[in-house]
Amino acid sequence: QVQLVESGGGLVQPGGSLRLSCAASGLIASIRTMGWYRQAPGKQRELVATITSGGSTNYADSVKGRFTIARDNDKSTVYLQMNSLKPEDTAVYYCTSTLVAWGMGEADDYWGQGTQVTVSS
């Protein structure tokens, strides 16, 4: 069974930084894209950033220049470095990965449980 486990959320003051991590585990044949989405109260889940197995990245306009996504393929882990945090970044952050599990012929999307990020003074 494939699992994505996030860590690193918490409470931070405006202008501060946090680093989120997400490790994929289980019977995994290959990992394609990894990324982060977020959902604020009363809003739809939205893309934050994604990164392909080759290292190509994509960011939401709202986080460009402040957030950086990276991955360690050997550890099946994706990171999100968040700097210059704003109150509007407050949300539950979800890790996601498109991967092929052992014994499965096609890639599928997997999600973590989410980690709360709160930006407040």
Side-chain angles (χ1 to χ4, degrees):
Q1 186 174 356
V2 175
Q3 283 189 314
L4 299 180
V5 179
E6 302 109 333
S7 61
L11 173 64
V12 64
Q13 292 186 341
S17 299
L18 279 176
R19 187 192 194 210
L20 305 182
S21 299
C22 171
S25 63
L27 299 177
I28 299 171
S30 64
I31 299 176
R32 299 181 183 178
T33 301
M34 302 188 81
W36 295 91
Y37 281 68
R38 67 186 181 186
Q39 187 167 19
K43 295 188 177 181
Q44 289 189 330
R45 191 173 297 189
E46 63 177 4
L47 168 74
V48 177
T50 60
I51 184 168
T52 68
S53 58
S56 296
T57 58
N58 180 45
Y59 293 94
D61 288 342
S62 59
V63 307
K64 282 181 181 177
R66 299 187 299 122
F67 291 10
T68 302
I69 190 169
R71 66 189 277 177
D72 184 331
N73 291 328
D74 290 339
K75 296 181 179 179
S76 300
T77 299
V78 63
Y79 306 96
L80 186 68
Q81 178 65 43
M82 304 185 293
N83 298 328
S84 302
L85 283 160
K86 305 175 181 180
E88 51 263 43
D89 294 317
T90 295
V92 177
Y93 283 69
Y94 295 92
C95 173
T96 183
S97 179
T98 302
L99 59 85
V100 181
W102 279 111
M104 305 297 290
E106 297 179 352
D108 203 352
D109 295 329
Y110 292 81
W111 292 85
Q113 297 279 8
T115 184
Q116 177 70 45
V117 171
T118 302
V119 185
S120 175
S121 55

